[in-house]
Amino acid sequence: MSKQYKYVFGPVASRRLGRSLGVDLVPFKVCPFDCTYCQLGHTTEKTLARKAYVPTEEVLEEIGRRLKEVEVDCVTLAGSGEPTLHQDLGKIIQGIKALTAAPVVVITNGSLLWDPQVRRELLGADIVMPDLDAGDEETFQRINQPCAGLSFAQVVEGLRAFRREYTGKIHLEVFLVSGVNDSHSQVRKIAALAQEFQPDSIDVNTVARPPADAAAKPVPPDRLEELAKLLGPLARVIAPRPAAAGKAQFTQQDILAMVGRHPCTLEDLSAGLGADPQQVLRLVTQMVEQGQLAEKRQNGGSFFVVVSREGG
C-alpha cells in the first residue's frame, strides 16, 4: 500500500465474497456480545451505545483511495468490532455506493436489528450477514454473552423485522460450538427460526482458530455436515478443518520464516500461523510498508515474497 491505512484493510481473499476490501467502523472488540468462540479474543468494551466511533469522512476517503489501487469483488463492513454500532453506518454505505459498483456487504452479529434506525441504515447494503447461534435464551446467554438487558427474543424479533423490510440478500451464519449449541434439539430450534427469516443461504461454521474462551471447542467436520442437513437445503458448511497447531500470537519473524521458504498468500499465512486473517493482514501490511515484503500478482492470486530475495 502506498500510504498507511487506519480503517481499511485488504483486499482479503474470501471463499464466500471473493476479493473483499474490509472496513473497520469501531475500535478493536467494541461489541454488544462477548462470544465465547470469537477468534479476536474477549470484548474489551461491551456496549449497545451507537456513536461516531470513527471519522466518517476519513473512512470514505481511505476507501476511495484504496479502490484506486486494487480491484475488489465487494466492500465489506466488518473488522474487529460490531459495525452497526457506528452511528453513520448509513452514510458510510451510501458513500461507498457513490465510489464503486462493487456490492456493499455488512457482517453483523444482528444484536442491534431491533433498532428501527439500524434497520433503515442497512437497507442500502447489497448483502447482510447476521448471526444466529442459539435457539433459546439460555443458549444465547451462554454462547453470545450479550450486554445486560439484551434478550434473545429482542434479537430474534429484530431479525424478523429486518427480513420484512429488507429486499437484499441475507446470508445467515450459524456458529456451532461443541457441547454448547450442537445438539439436534438446539439446531432444530435454530432451523425453525431461520426458516422464518427466509435467508438466501445459511453458512455453518465452527471454531477453527484460538477462541476467546479456551473451553469453546470445534464441532468435528463429519458432525458439522450432519447438523447442517438439519438446517435445511440452504445450509452449507464453510468452516475449514482446524489446523493441527497454530499460534494465537505471532511476530514478523514468524511471517518471514514462512514466506522465506516460498511465496505465501494471506490464506497460507493465516492457516500456517493459526491466526485471524485480519490480524495477519495488518502485520503483513506493515512489513510491505517497511520494505521487508513485496506483494506479487500471479495467476489471479496475490502472493507475498521476501524483498531481499527479489533483489531488494
Side-chain angles (χ1 to χ4, degrees), residues 159-176:
L159 278 163
R160 289 192 182 107
F162 184 61
R163 176 72 284 181
R164 291 193 295 267
E165 299 164 5
Y166 180 64
T167 57
K169 292 183 178 180
I170 293 179
H171 297 317
L172 191 69
E173 181 168 34
V174 177
F175 203 106
L176 299 177

PDB file of all heavy atoms in Angstrom, residues 159-176:
ATOM      1  N   LEU A 159     -34.412  -9.598  13.813  1.00  0.00           N
ATOM      2  CA  LEU A 159     -34.190 -10.329  12.566  1.00  0.00           C
ATOM      3  C   LEU A 159     -35.482 -10.462  11.767  1.00  0.00           C
ATOM      4  O   LEU A 159     -35.481 -10.313  10.545  1.00  0.00           O
ATOM      5  CB  LEU A 159     -33.610 -11.710  12.867  1.00  0.00           C
ATOM      6  CG  LEU A 159     -32.099 -11.786  13.105  1.00  0.00           C
ATOM      7  CD1 LEU A 159     -31.721 -13.084  13.789  1.00  0.00           C
ATOM      8  CD2 LEU A 159     -31.348 -11.648  11.785  1.00  0.00           C
ATOM      9  N   ARG A 160     -36.560 -10.741  12.462  1.00  0.00           N
ATOM     10  CA  ARG A 160     -37.860 -10.843  11.776  1.00  0.00           C
ATOM     11  C   ARG A 160     -38.215  -9.519  11.095  1.00  0.00           C
ATOM     12  O   ARG A 160     -38.633  -9.482   9.922  1.00  0.00           O
ATOM     13  CB  ARG A 160     -38.958 -11.219  12.766  1.00  0.00           C
ATOM     14  CG  ARG A 160     -38.912 -12.644  13.286  1.00  0.00           C
ATOM     15  CD  ARG A 160     -40.205 -12.979  14.013  1.00  0.00           C
ATOM     16  NE  ARG A 160     -40.187 -14.315  14.574  1.00  0.00           N
ATOM     17  CZ  ARG A 160     -40.080 -14.587  15.871  1.00  0.00           C
ATOM     18  NH1 ARG A 160     -39.984 -13.587  16.760  1.00  0.00           N
ATOM     19  NH2 ARG A 160     -40.068 -15.833  16.302  1.00  0.00           N
ATOM     20  N   ALA A 161     -38.077  -8.427  11.840  1.00  0.00           N
ATOM     21  CA  ALA A 161     -38.432  -7.111  11.310  1.00  0.00           C
ATOM     22  C   ALA A 161     -37.539  -6.744  10.125  1.00  0.00           C
ATOM     23  O   ALA A 161     -38.014  -6.194   9.118  1.00  0.00           O
ATOM     24  CB  ALA A 161     -38.318  -6.061  12.412  1.00  0.00           C
ATOM     25  N   PHE A 162     -36.260  -7.063  10.237  1.00  0.00           N
ATOM     26  CA  PHE A 162     -35.337  -6.737   9.150  1.00  0.00           C
ATOM     27  C   PHE A 162     -35.693  -7.505   7.888  1.00  0.00           C
ATOM     28  O   PHE A 162     -35.678  -6.936   6.786  1.00  0.00           O
ATOM     29  CB  PHE A 162     -33.906  -7.040   9.584  1.00  0.00           C
ATOM     30  CG  PHE A 162     -32.879  -6.656   8.562  1.00  0.00           C
ATOM     31  CD1 PHE A 162     -32.734  -5.339   8.161  1.00  0.00           C
ATOM     32  CD2 PHE A 162     -32.050  -7.611   7.992  1.00  0.00           C
ATOM     33  CE1 PHE A 162     -31.789  -4.979   7.207  1.00  0.00           C
ATOM     34  CE2 PHE A 162     -31.100  -7.264   7.046  1.00  0.00           C
ATOM     35  CZ  PHE A 162     -30.974  -5.936   6.651  1.00  0.00           C
ATOM     36  N   ARG A 163     -36.046  -8.755   8.022  1.00  0.00           N
ATOM     37  CA  ARG A 163     -36.415  -9.541   6.853  1.00  0.00           C
ATOM     38  C   ARG A 163     -37.654  -8.971   6.168  1.00  0.00           C
ATOM     39  O   ARG A 163     -37.758  -8.979   4.919  1.00  0.00           O
ATOM     40  CB  ARG A 163     -36.660 -10.996   7.250  1.00  0.00           C
ATOM     41  CG  ARG A 163     -37.139 -11.902   6.122  1.00  0.00           C
ATOM     42  CD  ARG A 163     -36.064 -12.239   5.094  1.00  0.00           C
ATOM     43  NE  ARG A 163     -35.741 -11.168   4.141  1.00  0.00           N
ATOM     44  CZ  ARG A 163     -34.841 -11.303   3.160  1.00  0.00           C
ATOM     45  NH1 ARG A 163     -34.162 -12.421   2.997  1.00  0.00           N
ATOM     46  NH2 ARG A 163     -34.602 -10.301   2.349  1.00  0.00           N
ATOM     47  N   ARG A 164     -38.593  -8.443   6.950  1.00  0.00           N
ATOM     48  CA  ARG A 164     -39.796  -7.851   6.362  1.00  0.00           C
ATOM     49  C   ARG A 164     -39.475  -6.591   5.557  1.00  0.00           C
ATOM     50  O   ARG A 164     -40.135  -6.299   4.558  1.00  0.00           O
ATOM     51  CB  ARG A 164     -40.819  -7.515   7.452  1.00  0.00           C
ATOM     52  CG  ARG A 164     -41.453  -8.714   8.130  1.00  0.00           C
ATOM     53  CD  ARG A 164     -42.662  -8.314   8.952  1.00  0.00           C
ATOM     54  NE  ARG A 164     -42.305  -7.450  10.078  1.00  0.00           N
ATOM     55  CZ  ARG A 164     -42.037  -7.889  11.304  1.00  0.00           C
ATOM     56  NH1 ARG A 164     -42.064  -9.203  11.558  1.00  0.00           N
ATOM     57  NH2 ARG A 164     -41.737  -7.055  12.276  1.00  0.00           N
ATOM     58  N   GLU A 165     -38.450  -5.871   5.980  1.00  0.00           N
ATOM     59  CA  GLU A 165     -38.166  -4.566   5.385  1.00  0.00           C
ATOM     60  C   GLU A 165     -37.080  -4.605   4.301  1.00  0.00           C
ATOM     61  O   GLU A 165     -37.043  -3.732   3.425  1.00  0.00           O
ATOM     62  CB  GLU A 165     -37.718  -3.597   6.491  1.00  0.00           C
ATOM     63  CG  GLU A 165     -38.773  -3.376   7.568  1.00  0.00           C
ATOM     64  CD  GLU A 165     -38.200  -2.754   8.835  1.00  0.00           C
ATOM     65  OE1 GLU A 165     -36.987  -2.409   8.837  1.00  0.00           O
ATOM     66  OE2 GLU A 165     -38.938  -2.623   9.825  1.00  0.00           O
ATOM     67  N   TYR A 166     -36.224  -5.593   4.366  1.00  0.00           N
ATOM     68  CA  TYR A 166     -35.022  -5.605   3.530  1.00  0.00           C
ATOM     69  C   TYR A 166     -35.234  -6.465   2.290  1.00  0.00           C
ATOM     70  O   TYR A 166     -35.725  -7.592   2.369  1.00  0.00           O
ATOM     71  CB  TYR A 166     -33.863  -6.152   4.357  1.00  0.00           C
ATOM     72  CG  TYR A 166     -32.533  -6.249   3.664  1.00  0.00           C
ATOM     73  CD1 TYR A 166     -31.870  -5.109   3.218  1.00  0.00           C
ATOM     74  CD2 TYR A 166     -31.911  -7.488   3.488  1.00  0.00           C
ATOM     75  CE1 TYR A 166     -30.631  -5.194   2.607  1.00  0.00           C
ATOM     76  CE2 TYR A 166     -30.659  -7.581   2.890  1.00  0.00           C
ATOM     77  CZ  TYR A 166     -30.027  -6.439   2.444  1.00  0.00           C
ATOM     78  OH  TYR A 166     -28.799  -6.531   1.844  1.00  0.00           O
ATOM     79  N   THR A 167     -34.825  -5.933   1.128  1.00  0.00           N
ATOM     80  CA  THR A 167     -35.019  -6.664  -0.122  1.00  0.00           C
ATOM     81  C   THR A 167     -33.713  -7.241  -0.676  1.00  0.00           C
ATOM     82  O   THR A 167     -33.727  -7.909  -1.708  1.00  0.00           O
ATOM     83  CB  THR A 167     -35.642  -5.745  -1.186  1.00  0.00           C
ATOM     84  OG1 THR A 167     -34.794  -4.596  -1.380  1.00  0.00           O
ATOM     85  CG2 THR A 167     -37.029  -5.274  -0.749  1.00  0.00           C
ATOM     86  N   GLY A 168     -32.598  -6.973  -0.003  1.00  0.00           N
ATOM     87  CA  GLY A 168     -31.321  -7.512  -0.454  1.00  0.00           C
ATOM     88  C   GLY A 168     -31.116  -8.949   0.005  1.00  0.00           C
ATOM     89  O   GLY A 168     -32.055  -9.612   0.471  1.00  0.00           O
ATOM     90  N   LYS A 169     -29.901  -9.433  -0.120  1.00  0.00           N
ATOM     91  CA  LYS A 169     -29.595 -10.819   0.235  1.00  0.00           C
ATOM     92  C   LYS A 169     -29.176 -10.922   1.704  1.00  0.00           C
ATOM     93  O   LYS A 169     -28.418 -10.102   2.206  1.00  0.00           O
ATOM     94  CB  LYS A 169     -28.466 -11.350  -0.657  1.00  0.00           C
ATOM     95  CG  LYS A 169     -28.871 -11.508  -2.115  1.00  0.00           C
ATOM     96  CD  LYS A 169     -27.742 -12.106  -2.928  1.00  0.00           C
ATOM     97  CE  LYS A 169     -28.166 -12.306  -4.380  1.00  0.00           C
ATOM     98  NZ  LYS A 169     -27.076 -12.895  -5.209  1.00  0.00           N
ATOM     99  N   ILE A 170     -29.692 -11.942   2.357  1.00  0.00           N
ATOM    100  CA  ILE A 170     -29.318 -12.244   3.732  1.00  0.00           C
ATOM    101  C   ILE A 170     -28.622 -13.603   3.753  1.00  0.00           C
ATOM    102  O   ILE A 170     -29.187 -14.614   3.345  1.00  0.00           O
ATOM    103  CB  ILE A 170     -30.538 -12.278   4.671  1.00  0.00           C
ATOM    104  CG1 ILE A 170     -31.145 -10.879   4.810  1.00  0.00           C
ATOM    105  CG2 ILE A 170     -30.144 -12.817   6.044  1.00  0.00           C
ATOM    106  CD1 ILE A 170     -32.369 -10.825   5.709  1.00  0.00           C
ATOM    107  N   HIS A 171     -27.372 -13.593   4.193  1.00  0.00           N
ATOM    108  CA  HIS A 171     -26.635 -14.838   4.390  1.00  0.00           C
ATOM    109  C   HIS A 171     -26.498 -15.033   5.896  1.00  0.00           C
ATOM    110  O   HIS A 171     -25.678 -14.382   6.547  1.00  0.00           O
ATOM    111  CB  HIS A 171     -25.257 -14.774   3.728  1.00  0.00           C
ATOM    112  CG  HIS A 171     -25.300 -14.613   2.244  1.00  0.00           C
ATOM    113  ND1 HIS A 171     -26.181 -15.315   1.450  1.00  0.00           N
ATOM    114  CD2 HIS A 171     -24.584 -13.825   1.396  1.00  0.00           C
ATOM    115  CE1 HIS A 171     -25.993 -14.986   0.183  1.00  0.00           C
ATOM    116  NE2 HIS A 171     -25.035 -14.072   0.130  1.00  0.00           N
ATOM    117  N   LEU A 172     -27.301 -15.906   6.433  1.00  0.00           N
ATOM    118  CA  LEU A 172     -27.317 -16.149   7.877  1.00  0.00           C
ATOM    119  C   LEU A 172     -26.149 -17.040   8.263  1.00  0.00           C
ATOM    120  O   LEU A 172     -25.894 -18.058   7.618  1.00  0.00           O
ATOM    121  CB  LEU A 172     -28.637 -16.817   8.260  1.00  0.00           C
ATOM    122  CG  LEU A 172     -28.968 -16.931   9.750  1.00  0.00           C
ATOM    123  CD1 LEU A 172     -29.253 -15.556  10.340  1.00  0.00           C
ATOM    124  CD2 LEU A 172     -30.174 -17.855   9.948  1.00  0.00           C
ATOM    125  N   GLU A 173     -25.440 -16.658   9.323  1.00  0.00           N
ATOM    126  CA  GLU A 173     -24.343 -17.507   9.798  1.00  0.00           C
ATOM    127  C   GLU A 173     -24.712 -18.151  11.121  1.00  0.00           C
ATOM    128  O   GLU A 173     -25.163 -17.474  12.055  1.00  0.00           O
ATOM    129  CB  GLU A 173     -23.039 -16.726   9.968  1.00  0.00           C
ATOM    130  CG  GLU A 173     -21.902 -17.636  10.436  1.00  0.00           C
ATOM    131  CD  GLU A 173     -20.522 -17.004  10.348  1.00  0.00           C
ATOM    132  OE1 GLU A 173     -20.410 -15.787  10.554  1.00  0.00           O
ATOM    133  OE2 GLU A 173     -19.553 -17.744  10.077  1.00  0.00           O
ATOM    134  N   VAL A 174     -24.520 -19.443  11.200  1.00  0.00           N
ATOM    135  CA  VAL A 174     -24.747 -20.217  12.422  1.00  0.00           C
ATOM    136  C   VAL A 174     -23.406 -20.771  12.862  1.00  0.00           C
ATOM    137  O   VAL A 174     -22.775 -21.547  12.145  1.00  0.00           O
ATOM    138  CB  VAL A 174     -25.753 -21.358  12.175  1.00  0.00           C
ATOM    139  CG1 VAL A 174     -25.913 -22.204  13.434  1.00  0.00           C
ATOM    140  CG2 VAL A 174     -27.105 -20.807  11.727  1.00  0.00           C
ATOM    141  N   PHE A 175     -22.976 -20.353  14.049  1.00  0.00           N
ATOM    142  CA  PHE A 175     -21.675 -20.777  14.560  1.00  0.00           C
ATOM    143  C   PHE A 175     -21.908 -21.798  15.665  1.00  0.00           C
ATOM    144  O   PHE A 175     -22.503 -21.490  16.691  1.00  0.00           O
ATOM    145  CB  PHE A 175     -20.909 -19.569  15.106  1.00  0.00           C
ATOM    146  CG  PHE A 175     -19.422 -19.773  15.138  1.00  0.00           C
ATOM    147  CD1 PHE A 175     -18.612 -19.136  14.219  1.00  0.00           C
ATOM    148  CD2 PHE A 175     -18.828 -20.605  16.067  1.00  0.00           C
ATOM    149  CE1 PHE A 175     -17.235 -19.319  14.233  1.00  0.00           C
ATOM    150  CE2 PHE A 175     -17.463 -20.796  16.096  1.00  0.00           C
ATOM    151  CZ  PHE A 175     -16.658 -20.152  15.168  1.00  0.00           C
ATOM    152  N   LEU A 176     -21.430 -23.017  15.438  1.00  0.00           N
ATOM    153  CA  LEU A 176     -21.677 -24.107  16.365  1.00  0.00           C
ATOM    154  C   LEU A 176     -20.443 -24.414  17.202  1.00  0.00           C
ATOM    155  O   LEU A 176     -19.330 -24.501  16.680  1.00  0.00           O
ATOM    156  CB  LEU A 176     -22.117 -25.353  15.599  1.00  0.00           C
ATOM    157  CG  LEU A 176     -23.418 -25.200  14.788  1.00  0.00           C
ATOM    158  CD1 LEU A 176     -23.714 -26.477  14.001  1.00  0.00           C
ATOM    159  CD2 LEU A 176     -24.592 -24.839  15.697  1.00  0.00           C
TER     160      LEU A 176
END
